[in-house]
Amino acid sequence: MGWHPTHAHLRAVTLGFGLLLVGIVLGRIDLVVLATPLLLVALAGAASRPRVVPAVAATGGSLAVHEGEDLLWSATVEDLPPGGVVAAHHPGQRWLEVEPADGLLVPEEGGVARVGIGLRPVRWGRRTLGAPAVTAYDAWAAWRWVADRPQPLRLTVLPTKEQVDTTAPAPHPNGLVGQERAGRPGEGTEFAKVRPFEPGDRLRRIHWAASARSGTLHVTATHADEDAHVVLLVDAVNDVGASEGITGARSSMDLAVRAAAVLAEHFLRRGDRVGLRVFGDWRVSFLPSSSGRHQLRRLLDTLALVEPGTARGEEALAARQGLGAGTLAILLSPLIEPASTQQVAMLTSAGIDVVVVDTLPAELASGAGPGSTPEERLAWRLRMLQRRVERDRMASLGIPVVTWAGPHSIDRVLRDLTRRSSTPRMVRR
Protein backbone atom coordinates (compact mmCIF):
# COMPACT_ATOMS: atom_id res chain seq x y z
CA MET A 1 0.00 0.00 0.00
CA GLY A 2 1.42 3.38 -1.04
CA TRP A 3 1.12 6.94 0.20
CA HIS A 4 -2.30 8.60 0.20
CA PRO A 5 -3.31 12.20 0.89
CA THR A 6 -4.50 12.97 4.38
CA HIS A 7 -7.82 14.59 5.17
CA ALA A 8 -6.00 17.80 6.17
CA HIS A 9 -4.28 17.94 2.76
CA LEU A 10 -7.55 17.39 0.91
CA ARG A 11 -9.26 20.09 2.96
CA ALA A 12 -6.45 22.55 2.21
CA VAL A 13 -6.70 21.87 -1.55
CA THR A 14 -10.49 22.01 -1.64
CA LEU A 15 -10.85 25.06 0.57
CA GLY A 16 -7.95 26.94 -1.08
CA PHE A 17 -9.20 26.49 -4.64
CA GLY A 18 -12.77 27.13 -3.56
CA LEU A 19 -11.94 30.45 -1.88
CA LEU A 20 -9.78 31.44 -4.86
CA LEU A 21 -12.57 30.72 -7.34
CA VAL A 22 -15.22 32.55 -5.30
CA GLY A 23 -12.89 35.54 -4.78
CA ILE A 24 -12.21 35.87 -8.54
CA VAL A 25 -15.87 35.52 -9.52
CA LEU A 26 -17.15 37.99 -6.90
CA GLY A 27 -14.16 40.29 -7.04
CA ARG A 28 -13.38 39.69 -3.33
CA ILE A 29 -9.72 40.40 -2.67
CA ASP A 30 -10.04 39.25 0.95
CA LEU A 31 -11.06 35.76 -0.14
CA VAL A 32 -8.11 35.58 -2.51
CA VAL A 33 -5.79 36.57 0.35
CA LEU A 34 -7.29 33.86 2.57
CA ALA A 35 -6.92 31.26 -0.16
CA THR A 36 -3.23 32.04 -0.88
CA PRO A 37 -1.60 30.35 2.19
CA LEU A 38 -3.86 27.33 1.84
CA LEU A 39 -2.84 26.94 -1.79
CA LEU A 40 0.84 27.36 -0.96
CA VAL A 41 0.63 24.66 1.73
CA ALA A 42 -1.31 22.39 -0.65
CA LEU A 43 1.25 22.86 -3.42
CA ALA A 44 4.16 22.28 -1.01
CA GLY A 45 2.52 19.11 0.30
CA ALA A 46 1.86 17.82 -3.22
CA ALA A 47 5.46 18.48 -4.24
CA SER A 48 6.81 16.65 -1.17
CA ARG A 49 4.92 13.38 -1.74
CA PRO A 50 7.21 10.50 -0.62
CA ARG A 51 8.24 8.03 -3.28
CA VAL A 52 9.58 5.18 -1.16
CA VAL A 53 7.17 2.82 0.60
CA PRO A 54 8.26 2.16 4.22
CA ALA A 55 8.87 -1.30 5.61
CA VAL A 56 7.68 -2.39 9.05
CA ALA A 57 8.76 -5.24 11.29
CA ALA A 58 6.64 -5.90 14.40
CA THR A 59 6.46 -8.33 17.31
CA GLY A 60 4.34 -11.38 16.49
CA GLY A 61 4.02 -15.07 17.17
CA SER A 62 3.27 -16.68 20.52
CA LEU A 63 4.38 -15.69 24.00
CA ALA A 64 3.81 -17.12 27.47
CA VAL A 65 3.66 -14.78 30.45
CA HIS A 66 2.22 -14.82 33.95
CA GLU A 67 -0.67 -12.72 35.12
CA GLY A 68 0.41 -9.18 35.90
CA GLU A 69 3.70 -9.43 34.00
CA ASP A 70 4.56 -6.59 31.64
CA LEU A 71 5.56 -7.20 28.05
CA LEU A 72 6.43 -4.86 25.22
CA TRP A 73 4.93 -4.85 21.76
CA SER A 74 7.45 -3.21 19.44
CA ALA A 75 7.65 -2.25 15.78
CA THR A 76 10.40 -0.80 13.61
CA VAL A 77 9.46 1.32 10.57
CA GLU A 78 12.21 2.00 8.01
CA ASP A 79 12.56 4.17 4.86
CA LEU A 80 10.62 7.09 6.31
CA PRO A 81 10.79 10.56 4.66
CA PRO A 82 12.81 13.28 6.46
CA GLY A 83 10.80 14.85 9.28
CA GLY A 84 8.15 12.12 9.21
CA VAL A 85 6.44 10.59 12.21
CA VAL A 86 4.90 7.21 13.00
CA ALA A 87 1.63 6.78 14.92
CA ALA A 88 0.95 3.44 16.60
CA HIS A 89 -2.14 2.35 18.49
CA HIS A 90 -2.86 -1.00 20.13
CA PRO A 91 -6.55 -1.86 20.44
CA GLY A 92 -7.62 -2.57 23.99
CA GLN A 93 -9.60 -5.61 24.99
CA ARG A 94 -10.83 -7.34 28.12
CA TRP A 95 -8.19 -8.60 30.54
CA LEU A 96 -5.49 -6.48 28.89
CA GLU A 97 -4.06 -3.17 30.04
CA VAL A 98 -2.39 -1.03 27.35
CA GLU A 99 0.06 1.80 28.06
CA PRO A 100 -0.34 4.33 26.55
CA ALA A 101 -3.99 3.55 25.92
CA ASP A 102 -4.38 6.31 23.30
CA GLY A 103 -1.35 5.32 21.25
CA LEU A 104 1.85 7.30 20.66
CA LEU A 105 3.73 9.36 18.05
CA VAL A 106 7.41 8.68 17.36
CA PRO A 107 9.52 10.95 15.09
CA GLU A 108 11.91 9.40 12.63
CA GLU A 109 15.66 9.38 13.24
CA GLY A 110 17.74 8.68 10.16
CA GLY A 111 14.70 7.36 8.32
CA VAL A 112 13.86 4.85 11.06
CA ALA A 113 11.27 5.02 13.86
CA ARG A 114 10.96 2.51 16.70
CA VAL A 115 7.71 2.32 18.65
CA GLY A 116 6.92 0.33 21.77
CA ILE A 117 3.62 -0.16 23.59
CA GLY A 118 3.41 -1.76 27.03
CA LEU A 119 0.93 -4.61 27.55
CA ARG A 120 -0.13 -6.18 30.83
CA PRO A 121 -2.49 -9.19 30.87
CA VAL A 122 -4.46 -9.34 34.11
CA ARG A 123 -6.17 -12.74 33.91
CA TRP A 124 -5.05 -16.25 33.04
CA GLY A 125 -6.10 -17.89 29.78
CA ARG A 126 -5.18 -18.10 26.13
CA ARG A 127 -6.13 -15.24 23.86
CA THR A 128 -5.19 -13.60 20.58
CA LEU A 129 -4.53 -9.88 20.83
CA GLY A 130 -5.91 -7.48 18.25
CA ALA A 131 -3.49 -6.36 15.56
CA PRO A 132 -2.10 -2.84 16.25
CA ALA A 133 -2.48 -0.03 13.73
CA VAL A 134 0.74 1.57 12.41
CA THR A 135 0.56 4.74 10.28
CA ALA A 136 3.39 6.93 8.91
CA TYR A 137 3.12 10.64 7.96
CA ASP A 138 5.45 12.94 6.06
CA ALA A 139 6.83 16.19 7.48
CA TRP A 140 3.84 18.25 6.19
CA ALA A 141 1.27 15.68 7.40
CA ALA A 142 -0.08 15.84 3.85
CA TRP A 143 0.55 12.17 3.04
CA ARG A 144 0.06 9.04 5.06
CA TRP A 145 1.01 5.43 4.71
CA VAL A 146 -0.96 2.73 6.52
CA ALA A 147 0.91 -0.49 7.19
CA ASP A 148 -0.70 -3.84 6.63
CA ARG A 149 -1.97 -5.23 9.89
CA PRO A 150 0.96 -7.06 11.49
CA GLN A 151 0.68 -10.63 12.67
CA PRO A 152 -1.43 -10.72 15.86
CA LEU A 153 0.21 -11.69 19.11
CA ARG A 154 -0.99 -14.92 20.69
CA LEU A 155 -0.61 -14.94 24.46
CA THR A 156 -0.68 -17.82 26.89
CA VAL A 157 -1.29 -16.12 30.24
CA LEU A 158 -0.25 -18.50 33.00
CA PRO A 159 -1.73 -18.24 36.50
CA THR A 160 0.27 -16.14 38.88
CA LYS A 161 2.47 -17.98 41.36
CA GLU A 162 2.99 -17.03 44.98
CA GLN A 163 6.04 -18.12 46.90
CA VAL A 164 5.27 -20.88 49.40
CA ASP A 165 7.63 -21.49 52.31
CA THR A 166 5.51 -24.00 54.20
CA THR A 167 7.30 -26.96 55.72
CA ALA A 168 4.18 -29.09 56.08
CA PRO A 169 4.86 -32.56 54.60
CA ALA A 170 2.51 -34.57 52.42
CA PRO A 171 1.10 -37.84 53.78
CA HIS A 172 1.96 -41.28 52.34
CA PRO A 173 5.30 -40.55 50.67
CA ASN A 174 6.57 -43.34 48.45
CA GLY A 175 9.33 -43.86 45.94
CA LEU A 176 12.97 -42.91 46.42
CA VAL A 177 13.06 -39.25 45.40
CA GLY A 178 11.75 -36.07 46.89
CA GLN A 179 12.19 -34.32 50.22
CA GLU A 180 9.59 -36.11 52.36
CA ARG A 181 10.85 -38.17 55.28
CA ALA A 182 10.08 -41.86 54.93
CA GLY A 183 9.03 -44.18 57.71
CA ARG A 184 11.95 -46.54 56.99
CA PRO A 185 15.70 -45.94 57.19
CA GLY A 186 17.72 -45.40 54.08
CA GLU A 187 19.96 -43.01 52.21
CA GLY A 188 18.59 -39.58 53.00
CA THR A 189 19.36 -36.27 54.64
CA GLU A 190 17.37 -36.36 57.88
CA PHE A 191 19.09 -37.82 60.94
CA ALA A 192 17.48 -40.91 62.54
CA LYS A 193 19.90 -42.35 65.12
CA VAL A 194 23.46 -43.52 65.87
CA ARG A 195 23.94 -47.30 65.63
CA PRO A 196 26.84 -49.81 65.58
CA PHE A 197 28.74 -50.26 62.34
CA GLU A 198 27.54 -53.07 60.06
CA PRO A 199 29.12 -54.56 56.93
CA GLY A 200 28.11 -52.48 53.93
CA ASP A 201 27.93 -49.15 55.76
CA ARG A 202 29.72 -46.28 54.08
CA LEU A 203 32.81 -44.91 55.76
CA ARG A 204 31.55 -41.34 55.46
CA ARG A 205 28.72 -42.31 57.82
CA ILE A 206 31.10 -43.11 60.70
CA HIS A 207 30.25 -41.10 63.82
CA TRP A 208 33.74 -40.53 65.24
CA ALA A 209 32.65 -39.08 68.58
CA ALA A 210 30.46 -42.08 69.46
CA SER A 211 33.14 -44.47 68.13
CA ALA A 212 35.82 -42.90 70.34
CA ARG A 213 33.64 -43.08 73.45
CA SER A 214 32.53 -46.70 72.95
CA GLY A 215 35.69 -48.13 71.48
CA THR A 216 33.76 -49.65 68.52
CA LEU A 217 32.73 -48.12 65.23
CA HIS A 218 29.35 -46.40 65.12
CA VAL A 219 27.60 -44.80 62.15
CA THR A 220 24.77 -42.32 61.71
CA ALA A 221 21.51 -43.66 60.27
CA THR A 222 19.13 -41.48 58.28
CA HIS A 223 15.56 -41.62 57.04
CA ALA A 224 15.09 -42.21 53.33
CA ASP A 225 13.99 -39.27 51.22
CA GLU A 226 10.78 -40.12 49.42
CA ASP A 227 8.18 -38.41 47.29
CA ALA A 228 4.40 -38.15 47.55
CA HIS A 229 1.72 -38.61 44.91
CA VAL A 230 -0.46 -35.51 44.79
CA VAL A 231 -3.41 -35.01 42.46
CA LEU A 232 -5.08 -31.63 42.11
CA LEU A 233 -8.79 -31.90 41.34
CA VAL A 234 -10.14 -28.65 39.88
CA ASP A 235 -13.91 -28.22 39.77
CA ALA A 236 -14.68 -26.17 36.65
CA VAL A 237 -18.35 -27.09 36.41
CA ASN A 238 -19.34 -23.61 37.63
CA ASP A 239 -17.63 -20.25 37.74
CA VAL A 240 -19.30 -18.28 40.50
CA GLY A 241 -18.76 -14.57 40.98
CA ALA A 242 -17.38 -11.73 38.90
CA SER A 243 -13.77 -11.59 37.74
CA GLU A 244 -11.93 -8.29 37.41
CA GLY A 245 -8.42 -9.55 36.81
CA ILE A 246 -5.50 -9.92 39.14
CA THR A 247 -6.08 -6.59 40.91
CA GLY A 248 -9.87 -6.68 41.27
CA ALA A 249 -12.62 -9.04 42.35
CA ARG A 250 -11.98 -12.75 41.94
CA SER A 251 -14.41 -15.44 40.88
CA SER A 252 -14.37 -19.02 42.17
CA MET A 253 -12.52 -20.13 39.03
CA ASP A 254 -9.86 -17.47 39.56
CA LEU A 255 -9.24 -18.71 43.09
CA ALA A 256 -9.19 -22.37 42.01
CA VAL A 257 -6.77 -21.91 39.10
CA ARG A 258 -4.37 -19.68 41.05
CA ALA A 259 -4.49 -21.97 44.09
CA ALA A 260 -3.75 -24.99 41.88
CA ALA A 261 -0.72 -23.18 40.43
CA VAL A 262 0.59 -22.35 43.90
CA LEU A 263 0.10 -25.89 45.24
CA ALA A 264 1.63 -27.49 42.14
CA GLU A 265 4.76 -25.39 42.45
CA HIS A 266 5.03 -26.15 46.16
CA PHE A 267 4.86 -29.95 45.82
CA LEU A 268 6.98 -30.11 42.67
CA ARG A 269 9.67 -28.02 44.33
CA ARG A 270 9.81 -30.65 47.07
CA GLY A 271 10.35 -33.39 44.48
CA ASP A 272 6.84 -34.88 44.67
CA ARG A 273 4.80 -36.17 41.77
CA VAL A 274 1.84 -33.98 40.88
CA GLY A 275 -1.06 -34.70 38.53
CA LEU A 276 -4.12 -32.71 37.53
CA ARG A 277 -7.78 -33.44 36.79
CA VAL A 278 -10.22 -30.79 35.61
CA PHE A 279 -13.96 -31.40 35.78
CA GLY A 280 -16.47 -29.45 33.74
CA ASP A 281 -14.25 -28.57 30.75
CA TRP A 282 -14.55 -30.67 27.62
CA ARG A 283 -11.06 -29.67 26.36
CA VAL A 284 -9.13 -30.35 29.57
CA SER A 285 -9.60 -33.47 31.65
CA PHE A 286 -6.42 -35.19 32.85
CA LEU A 287 -2.67 -34.59 33.10
CA PRO A 288 -0.65 -37.62 34.26
CA SER A 289 1.42 -37.28 37.41
CA SER A 290 5.08 -36.47 37.07
CA SER A 291 7.75 -34.34 38.71
CA GLY A 292 10.22 -31.66 37.76
CA ARG A 293 10.13 -28.19 36.26
CA HIS A 294 8.70 -29.39 32.94
CA GLN A 295 5.73 -30.83 34.79
CA LEU A 296 5.08 -27.45 36.39
CA ARG A 297 5.02 -25.79 32.98
CA ARG A 298 2.65 -28.46 31.66
CA LEU A 299 0.37 -27.90 34.64
CA LEU A 300 0.32 -24.15 34.15
CA ASP A 301 -0.36 -24.53 30.42
CA THR A 302 -3.25 -26.87 31.19
CA LEU A 303 -4.71 -24.50 33.76
CA ALA A 304 -4.52 -21.64 31.25
CA LEU A 305 -6.78 -23.64 28.92
CA VAL A 306 -9.63 -24.06 31.40
CA GLU A 307 -13.03 -22.83 30.25
CA PRO A 308 -15.57 -23.52 32.99
CA GLY A 309 -19.01 -24.88 32.32
CA THR A 310 -18.31 -26.43 28.91
CA ALA A 311 -19.02 -30.00 30.09
CA ARG A 312 -21.68 -31.17 32.49
CA GLY A 313 -23.21 -34.36 33.79
CA GLU A 314 -22.38 -36.98 36.38
CA GLU A 315 -19.27 -38.10 34.47
CA ALA A 316 -17.78 -34.62 34.87
CA LEU A 317 -16.89 -35.41 38.48
CA ALA A 318 -15.71 -39.02 38.18
CA ALA A 319 -12.62 -38.32 40.26
CA ARG A 320 -11.55 -41.81 41.38
CA GLN A 321 -10.28 -43.07 38.02
CA GLY A 322 -6.62 -44.00 38.25
CA LEU A 323 -6.22 -42.98 41.91
CA GLY A 324 -5.15 -45.49 44.52
CA ALA A 325 -4.78 -45.63 48.27
CA GLY A 326 -2.01 -43.39 49.57
CA THR A 327 -2.70 -40.59 47.09
CA LEU A 328 -3.21 -37.10 48.39
CA ALA A 329 -6.12 -35.57 46.48
CA ILE A 330 -6.72 -31.83 46.82
CA LEU A 331 -10.14 -30.80 45.54
CA LEU A 332 -10.46 -27.13 44.66
CA SER A 333 -14.14 -26.38 44.37
CA PRO A 334 -16.76 -23.76 45.31
CA LEU A 335 -18.88 -26.71 46.53
CA ILE A 336 -21.88 -25.55 44.54
CA GLU A 337 -22.38 -28.74 42.51
CA PRO A 338 -23.81 -31.53 44.74
CA ALA A 339 -21.84 -34.16 42.79
CA SER A 340 -18.57 -32.73 44.11
CA THR A 341 -19.41 -33.58 47.74
CA GLN A 342 -20.49 -37.07 46.70
CA GLN A 343 -17.18 -37.72 44.98
CA VAL A 344 -15.29 -36.57 48.08
CA ALA A 345 -17.02 -39.28 50.11
CA MET A 346 -16.17 -41.90 47.45
CA LEU A 347 -12.51 -40.91 47.42
CA THR A 348 -12.27 -41.05 51.19
CA SER A 349 -13.88 -44.49 51.36
CA ALA A 350 -11.25 -45.74 48.87
CA GLY A 351 -8.42 -44.84 51.26
CA ILE A 352 -7.46 -41.65 49.47
CA ASP A 353 -6.58 -38.68 51.66
CA VAL A 354 -8.72 -35.77 50.52
CA VAL A 355 -8.31 -32.10 51.32
CA VAL A 356 -11.18 -29.88 50.16
CA VAL A 357 -10.16 -26.31 49.38
CA ASP A 358 -13.20 -24.04 49.29
CA THR A 359 -12.77 -21.51 46.48
CA LEU A 360 -16.08 -19.68 46.79
CA PRO A 361 -15.41 -15.93 47.17
CA ALA A 362 -15.99 -14.70 50.71
CA GLU A 363 -18.55 -12.09 49.70
CA LEU A 364 -20.70 -14.79 48.07
CA ALA A 365 -20.28 -17.32 50.86
CA SER A 366 -21.69 -14.79 53.33
CA GLY A 367 -25.07 -15.02 51.60
CA ALA A 368 -25.00 -11.91 49.41
CA GLY A 369 -25.12 -13.91 46.23
CA PRO A 370 -25.78 -12.95 42.64
CA GLY A 371 -29.35 -12.17 41.69
CA SER A 372 -31.40 -9.24 40.56
CA THR A 373 -34.73 -10.33 42.03
CA PRO A 374 -35.75 -11.19 45.61
CA GLU A 375 -36.54 -14.76 44.51
CA GLU A 376 -33.02 -15.28 43.10
CA ARG A 377 -31.40 -13.89 46.23
CA LEU A 378 -33.59 -16.11 48.41
CA ALA A 379 -32.66 -19.18 46.34
CA TRP A 380 -28.98 -18.34 46.76
CA ARG A 381 -29.32 -18.05 50.55
CA LEU A 382 -31.03 -21.44 50.67
CA ARG A 383 -28.21 -22.96 48.61
CA MET A 384 -25.65 -21.45 50.98
CA LEU A 385 -27.45 -23.02 53.94
CA GLN A 386 -27.41 -26.40 52.22
CA ARG A 387 -23.75 -25.89 51.37
CA ARG A 388 -22.96 -25.20 55.03
CA VAL A 389 -24.68 -28.45 56.00
CA GLU A 390 -22.58 -30.35 53.44
CA ARG A 391 -19.37 -28.80 54.77
CA ASP A 392 -20.30 -29.78 58.33
CA ARG A 393 -21.08 -33.30 57.18
CA MET A 394 -17.65 -33.65 55.53
CA ALA A 395 -15.98 -32.32 58.67
CA SER A 396 -17.83 -34.91 60.77
CA LEU A 397 -16.45 -37.64 58.47
CA GLY A 398 -12.90 -36.42 59.10
CA ILE A 399 -12.54 -34.71 55.71
CA PRO A 400 -10.74 -31.40 56.18
CA VAL A 401 -12.35 -28.43 54.45
CA VAL A 402 -10.38 -25.19 54.35
CA THR A 403 -11.16 -21.84 52.77
CA TRP A 404 -8.44 -20.70 50.42
CA ALA A 405 -6.80 -17.59 51.82
CA GLY A 406 -3.30 -17.93 50.42
CA PRO A 407 -0.46 -20.46 50.27
CA HIS A 408 -0.58 -21.21 54.00
CA SER A 409 -4.23 -22.23 54.00
CA ILE A 410 -3.51 -25.98 54.10
CA ASP A 411 -0.45 -26.07 56.40
CA ARG A 412 -2.30 -27.36 59.45
CA VAL A 413 -4.39 -29.78 57.40
CA LEU A 414 -1.31 -31.42 55.83
CA ARG A 415 0.29 -31.85 59.25
CA ASP A 416 -2.88 -33.47 60.61
CA LEU A 417 -3.08 -35.81 57.62
CA THR A 418 0.54 -36.84 58.06
CA ARG A 419 -0.09 -37.79 61.68
CA ARG A 420 -3.30 -39.57 60.75
CA SER A 421 -1.61 -41.56 57.98
CA SER A 422 0.41 -43.49 60.56
CA THR A 423 -2.75 -45.00 62.11
CA PRO A 424 -4.43 -48.03 60.47
CA ARG A 425 -7.94 -47.73 59.11
CA MET A 426 -10.46 -49.73 57.12
CA VAL A 427 -11.07 -48.91 53.48
CA ARG A 428 -13.46 -50.23 50.85
CA ARG A 429 -11.90 -52.37 48.09
Side-chain angles (χ1 to χ4, degrees), residues 177-194:
V177 295
Q179 300 180 17
E180 310 290 358
R181 194 193 76 174
R184 63 178 183 273
E187 290 296 327
T189 57
E190 187 167 347
F191 175 79
K193 63 181 179 179
V194 177

Side-chain angles (χ1 to χ4, degrees), residues 3 29 60 118 132-133 135-136 145 152 164 197 201 239 272 286 297 315 326-327 372 391 398 414 426:
W3 293 89
I29 302 300
T135 306
W145 170 80
V164 187
F197 179 87
D201 288 336
D239 187 10
D272 299 325
F286 174 66
R297 179 55 190 271
E315 295 300 325
T327 302
S372 57
R391 284 191 50 153
L414 289 180
M426 297 180 61

